[in-house]
Amino acid sequence: MEYYDEEQQSWRKLGFIVDCQANDDEMYSQHSQHSGDNNQYVTETGCARYLIWAAYVNENYSGYGAAEYQYYDPYYGQWDQTTCGYADGSPCTKMDCHLSSTSFSLLGFFKHKMLDDWMEQLFKHQGICRWNDDDYSFMKNARKAWPQGCTMTSATTSSGKPLYYDVKPAYSGQITVAMYIDEECVEEYYMTTDAIE
């Protein structure tokens, strides 16, 4: 197996899927029960939510570490070459694995079931380097707000059926939280914001 330096690799989040045919025990054993944060009942019989991501490698890597790359600055809408100045002779390659014209090669596609674990690794290894203290603190606390499975609420429908909530995949690789009327968190419960209040 070929070894790639960690600074030679890159990754990109592609999105989220719901898999009702999942048969693994990466997060929970099926049909077991436990309490989540704040003693909330997590059914664990729901369809699995997976984060899908891709890994890439820069096969032209020259060994300059982070100083090998320029990074896209979304605030200014341009490539920032500041890090390239930390190493004489840096090729200043664009960290652009998300573009079709990239020089990075695809290593593979992966799925990760434990959203909180994935976020923790991301924040620990990248967020601490790129965010200021306030942003890092906010994101560290905000990640804990995401459900860790199909969770029963104390609310019910007008007919008395219990309501549940879980992560819901959204367009453009995003996620949101949705309410469901079944303990597998498959049948979404649609309501107005007035009903929520």
Side-chain angles (χ1 to χ4, degrees), residues 50-68:
Y50 287 99
L51 178 139
I52 306 298
W53 61 283
Y56 300 85
V57 62
N58 175 6
E59 297 189 70
N60 299 318
Y61 180 67
S62 302
Y64 290 101
E68 177 129 355

Side-chain angles (χ1 to χ4, degrees), residues 20-21 47 60 69 87 92 110 118 120 125 128 133 156-157 172 182 197:
C20 294
Q21 302 301 315
C47 296
N60 299 318
Y69 303 104
C92 209
F110 304 90
W118 185 83
E120 179 183 21
H125 297 291
I128 199 155
D133 289 345
T156 61
T157 65
S172 300
D182 64 308
E197 295 169 1

Side-chain angles (χ1 to χ4, degrees), residues 120-157:
E120 179 183 21
Q121 295 303 314
L122 171 66
F123 296 174
K124 184 170 30 175
H125 297 291
Q126 291 195 349
I128 199 155
C129 299
R130 300 189 55 117
W131 296 328
N132 64 40
D133 289 345
D134 289 339
D135 290 341
Y136 182 80
S137 178
F138 171 80
M139 292 302 291
K140 183 178 176 185
N141 292 325
R143 78 173 170 83
K144 296 175 184 173
W146 291 101
Q148 298 303 308
C150 188
T151 306
M152 181 186 286
T153 70
S154 58
T156 61
T157 65

